[in-house]
Amino acid sequence: MMNKNNKPLVIITGPTAVGKTDLSIALAKKIGGEIISADSIQIYKYMDIGSAKIKKNEMQGITHYLVDELDPKEDFNVFKFKEMSKRAIENIYEKGKIPIIVGGTGFYIQSVLYDINFENENDSQRDEIRDKYYKLANEKGNEYVHSLLKEVDKESADAIHFNNLKRVVRALEYYEINHEKFSEHNKRERKNDSPYNFSYYVLNRQRDTLYERINKRVDIMISEGLEDEVKRLLDMGYNEKNVSMQGIGYKEMVSYIRGDISLEEAIELIKKNTRNFAKRQLTWFRREKITTFINYENYSSKEDMLDYMLNDLKNKNII
């Protein structure tokens, strides 16, 4: 349940390549907003092409948070996202502006929106358990680690693809520390009331159109120099053991550079893995309890979509 007296928060999410960036900037200009990125790779420095990171000139003067802030050796997870984004939200309120969370990582968004509680966990314990599972994944493969999750929490295993090692390990570490299934924790926390007066927009497109946009985006990344970007990161000492380098686009390109697959195979894998990721994102957003789906096909222009959002925000007393 939303309380109209709570502070305002806008969320713009949706599958990768759906078109969140343009609309979020247009909305920020209209409502006096600033943007917090809910993306697990754009947070990292030097990782620009493979993350489709927004460029300075594309920001059009709108302040963006959680972009280009961490070294690729640093771990970025839901705890860090919640801590950094809540700090950013307070900064935005102090300026008298409205925070807009933009990005496709649903669990990150949920952690802030419902103020999910992680207080039973400490960093050293988490790191130890996480290292154990990453080591197992290196030795026996992602599918093996995923099978361990299936044994203790089938619902989480069904919801998380075995190649999404970060989330698989997250679910396992939660189970080990709290002796509770991660899926049960998520169900319970989703029932929380939000501390914000919010509107949660999920942008979507017809599947064929979305997949075409994904394929085109990957082709653009290749032409912009994704291979050189990954080689540069490897030369700087980053490698596939870093969580950052396990992002889609980076891990496949590393396999090509290491000689495990051809460039054509790497490109096709990036496209396929991104399409599968988009499908999983939509599954997540459809499960959220209070969302407003906005399908591009139902509007004649971006301006029409923007007008709809502005009227909706006024009706909810957010602006």
Tab-separated table of all heavy atoms in Angstrom, residues 14-43:
chain	number	residue	atom	x	y	z
A	14	GLY	N	12.311	-2.362	-17.410
A	14	GLY	CA	11.920	-3.112	-18.594
A	14	GLY	C	13.110	-3.909	-19.090
A	14	GLY	O	14.227	-3.751	-18.592
A	15	PRO	N	12.895	-4.763	-20.084
A	15	PRO	CA	13.986	-5.602	-20.578
A	15	PRO	C	15.082	-4.789	-21.248
A	15	PRO	O	14.871	-3.643	-21.674
A	15	PRO	CB	13.295	-6.529	-21.586
A	15	PRO	CG	12.087	-5.771	-22.017
A	15	PRO	CD	11.644	-4.992	-20.820
A	16	THR	N	16.252	-5.369	-21.345
A	16	THR	CA	17.384	-4.715	-21.987
A	16	THR	C	17.038	-4.326	-23.420
A	16	THR	O	16.326	-5.057	-24.111
A	16	THR	CB	18.617	-5.653	-21.934
A	16	THR	OG1	19.747	-4.977	-22.406
A	16	THR	CG2	18.408	-6.934	-22.729
A	17	ALA	N	17.493	-3.157	-23.853
A	17	ALA	CA	17.319	-2.636	-25.221
A	17	ALA	C	15.888	-2.211	-25.541
A	17	ALA	O	15.576	-1.916	-26.693
A	17	ALA	CB	17.795	-3.650	-26.268
A	18	VAL	N	15.023	-2.103	-24.517
A	18	VAL	CA	13.637	-1.727	-24.804
A	18	VAL	C	13.499	-0.238	-25.128
A	18	VAL	O	12.583	0.181	-25.828
A	18	VAL	CB	12.699	-2.129	-23.637
A	18	VAL	CG1	12.841	-1.201	-22.449
A	18	VAL	CG2	11.249	-2.208	-24.088
A	19	GLY	N	14.415	0.592	-24.561
A	19	GLY	CA	14.356	2.033	-24.815
A	19	GLY	C	14.093	2.851	-23.568
A	19	GLY	O	13.338	3.824	-23.584
A	20	LYS	N	14.737	2.469	-22.465
A	20	LYS	CA	14.524	3.146	-21.181
A	20	LYS	C	15.221	4.501	-21.109
A	20	LYS	O	14.709	5.440	-20.512
A	20	LYS	CB	15.034	2.258	-20.026
A	20	LYS	CG	14.327	0.923	-19.906
A	20	LYS	CD	14.827	0.092	-18.742
A	20	LYS	CE	16.166	-0.560	-18.975
A	20	LYS	NZ	16.146	-1.648	-19.958
A	21	THR	N	16.395	4.600	-21.712
A	21	THR	CA	17.246	5.789	-21.538
A	21	THR	C	16.576	7.062	-22.041
A	21	THR	O	16.445	8.039	-21.293
A	21	THR	CB	18.602	5.578	-22.255
A	21	THR	OG1	19.216	4.405	-21.720
A	21	THR	CG2	19.520	6.762	-22.038
A	22	ASP	N	16.133	7.066	-23.290
A	22	ASP	CA	15.537	8.272	-23.880
A	22	ASP	C	14.328	8.746	-23.085
A	22	ASP	O	14.184	9.932	-22.793
A	22	ASP	CB	15.092	8.009	-25.328
A	22	ASP	CG	16.275	7.976	-26.281
A	22	ASP	OD1	17.403	8.287	-25.821
A	22	ASP	OD2	16.096	7.645	-27.466
A	23	LEU	N	13.459	7.802	-22.753
A	23	LEU	CA	12.222	8.168	-22.057
A	23	LEU	C	12.511	8.687	-20.655
A	23	LEU	O	11.882	9.637	-20.195
A	23	LEU	CB	11.288	6.953	-21.995
A	23	LEU	CG	9.814	7.281	-21.749
A	23	LEU	CD1	9.237	8.127	-22.868
A	23	LEU	CD2	9.003	6.013	-21.589
A	24	SER	N	13.485	8.077	-19.981
A	24	SER	CA	13.800	8.503	-18.607
A	24	SER	C	14.369	9.919	-18.586
A	24	SER	O	14.056	10.708	-17.698
A	24	SER	CB	14.773	7.523	-17.940
A	24	SER	OG	16.017	7.501	-18.604
A	25	ILE	N	15.189	10.252	-19.575
A	25	ILE	CA	15.757	11.605	-19.630
A	25	ILE	C	14.668	12.621	-19.946
A	25	ILE	O	14.603	13.696	-19.341
A	25	ILE	CB	16.923	11.665	-20.647
A	25	ILE	CG1	18.130	10.927	-20.062
A	25	ILE	CG2	17.293	13.103	-20.990
A	25	ILE	CD1	19.235	10.654	-21.016
A	26	ALA	N	13.794	12.275	-20.887
A	26	ALA	CA	12.682	13.169	-21.231
A	26	ALA	C	11.793	13.412	-20.009
A	26	ALA	O	11.377	14.548	-19.744
A	26	ALA	CB	11.863	12.566	-22.374
A	27	LEU	N	11.522	12.349	-19.232
A	27	LEU	CA	10.692	12.493	-18.037
A	27	LEU	C	11.405	13.322	-16.965
A	27	LEU	O	10.790	14.194	-16.338
A	27	LEU	CB	10.326	11.120	-17.474
A	27	LEU	CG	9.372	11.161	-16.269
A	27	LEU	CD1	7.995	11.656	-16.686
A	27	LEU	CD2	9.258	9.794	-15.602
A	28	ALA	N	12.697	13.062	-16.780
A	28	ALA	CA	13.475	13.815	-15.774
A	28	ALA	C	13.427	15.315	-16.062
A	28	ALA	O	13.299	16.128	-15.141
A	28	ALA	CB	14.915	13.318	-15.753
A	29	LYS	N	13.506	15.676	-17.332
A	29	LYS	CA	13.448	17.103	-17.708
A	29	LYS	C	12.092	17.711	-17.362
A	29	LYS	O	12.004	18.856	-16.942
A	29	LYS	CB	13.686	17.259	-19.214
A	29	LYS	CG	15.137	17.065	-19.640
A	29	LYS	CD	15.196	17.118	-21.154
A	29	LYS	CE	16.594	17.429	-21.652
A	29	LYS	NZ	16.617	17.512	-23.123
A	30	LYS	N	11.037	16.911	-17.544
A	30	LYS	CA	9.672	17.415	-17.315
A	30	LYS	C	9.345	17.571	-15.839
A	30	LYS	O	8.615	18.483	-15.446
A	30	LYS	CB	8.647	16.456	-17.938
A	30	LYS	CG	8.635	16.445	-19.456
A	30	LYS	CD	7.830	17.597	-20.014
A	30	LYS	CE	7.649	17.456	-21.521
A	30	LYS	NZ	6.976	18.651	-22.086
A	31	ILE	N	9.867	16.671	-14.981
A	31	ILE	CA	9.431	16.664	-13.574
A	31	ILE	C	10.507	17.135	-12.598
A	31	ILE	O	10.298	17.099	-11.388
A	31	ILE	CB	8.914	15.265	-13.151
A	31	ILE	CG1	10.054	14.234	-13.111
A	31	ILE	CG2	7.784	14.800	-14.072
A	31	ILE	CD1	9.640	12.876	-12.505
A	32	GLY	N	11.651	17.575	-13.117
A	32	GLY	CA	12.742	17.974	-12.221
A	32	GLY	C	13.326	16.769	-11.514
A	32	GLY	O	13.450	16.736	-10.286
A	33	GLY	N	13.670	15.766	-12.313
A	33	GLY	CA	14.190	14.529	-11.733
A	33	GLY	C	15.672	14.340	-11.963
A	33	GLY	O	16.276	15.000	-12.822
A	34	GLU	N	16.264	13.463	-11.163
A	34	GLU	CA	17.632	13.000	-11.391
A	34	GLU	C	17.607	11.478	-11.390
A	34	GLU	O	16.745	10.869	-10.747
A	34	GLU	CB	18.583	13.545	-10.317
A	34	GLU	CG	18.740	15.055	-10.423
A	34	GLU	CD	19.843	15.635	-9.542
A	34	GLU	OE1	20.273	14.971	-8.571
A	34	GLU	OE2	20.267	16.763	-9.820
A	35	ILE	N	18.550	10.869	-12.116
A	35	ILE	CA	18.463	9.449	-12.428
A	35	ILE	C	19.482	8.605	-11.649
A	35	ILE	O	20.655	8.967	-11.564
A	35	ILE	CB	18.623	9.247	-13.950
A	35	ILE	CG1	17.382	9.819	-14.661
A	35	ILE	CG2	18.828	7.776	-14.308
A	35	ILE	CD1	17.487	9.885	-16.167
A	36	ILE	N	18.998	7.501	-11.110
A	36	ILE	CA	19.856	6.510	-10.444
A	36	ILE	C	19.835	5.255	-11.309
A	36	ILE	O	18.771	4.705	-11.590
A	36	ILE	CB	19.330	6.176	-9.035
A	36	ILE	CG1	19.320	7.439	-8.156
A	36	ILE	CG2	20.174	5.079	-8.388
A	36	ILE	CD1	18.497	7.306	-6.886
A	37	SER	N	21.004	4.806	-11.740
A	37	SER	CA	21.073	3.634	-12.604
A	37	SER	C	20.960	2.344	-11.795
A	37	SER	O	21.691	2.138	-10.834
A	37	SER	CB	22.407	3.637	-13.370
A	37	SER	OG	22.614	2.386	-13.989
A	38	ALA	N	20.023	1.484	-12.220
A	38	ALA	CA	19.895	0.148	-11.605
A	38	ALA	C	20.416	-0.871	-12.608
A	38	ALA	O	19.680	-1.696	-13.129
A	38	ALA	CB	18.438	-0.128	-11.240
A	39	ASP	N	21.711	-0.755	-12.883
A	39	ASP	CA	22.360	-1.645	-13.847
A	39	ASP	C	23.612	-2.214	-13.189
A	39	ASP	O	24.386	-1.472	-12.573
A	39	ASP	CB	22.732	-0.864	-15.111
A	39	ASP	CG	23.272	-1.765	-16.204
A	39	ASP	OD1	24.450	-2.175	-16.122
A	39	ASP	OD2	22.525	-2.057	-17.154
A	40	SER	N	23.809	-3.517	-13.329
A	40	SER	CA	24.895	-4.174	-12.588
A	40	SER	C	26.262	-4.008	-13.256
A	40	SER	O	27.281	-4.348	-12.661
A	40	SER	CB	24.592	-5.658	-12.406
A	40	SER	OG	24.444	-6.284	-13.668
A	41	ILE	N	26.314	-3.472	-14.493
A	41	ILE	CA	27.610	-3.303	-15.172
A	41	ILE	C	27.948	-1.830	-15.434
A	41	ILE	O	29.113	-1.438	-15.377
A	41	ILE	CB	27.646	-4.092	-16.515
A	41	ILE	CG1	27.351	-5.580	-16.272
A	41	ILE	CG2	29.015	-3.968	-17.188
A	41	ILE	CD1	28.371	-6.331	-15.432
A	42	GLN	N	26.946	-0.993	-15.666
A	42	GLN	CA	27.223	0.428	-15.940
A	42	GLN	C	27.881	1.135	-14.755
A	42	GLN	O	28.480	2.190	-14.922
A	42	GLN	CB	25.937	1.159	-16.336
A	42	GLN	CG	25.425	0.728	-17.696
A	42	GLN	CD	24.338	1.640	-18.242
A	42	GLN	OE1	24.104	2.734	-17.726
A	42	GLN	NE2	23.672	1.210	-19.289
A	43	ILE	N	27.794	0.538	-13.580
A	43	ILE	CA	28.443	1.085	-12.383
A	43	ILE	C	29.963	1.096	-12.528
A	43	ILE	O	30.660	1.876	-11.891
A	43	ILE	CB	28.036	0.253	-11.136
A	43	ILE	CG1	28.565	0.859	-9.822
A	43	ILE	CG2	28.499	-1.193	-11.234
A	43	ILE	CD1	27.761	1.948	-9.249
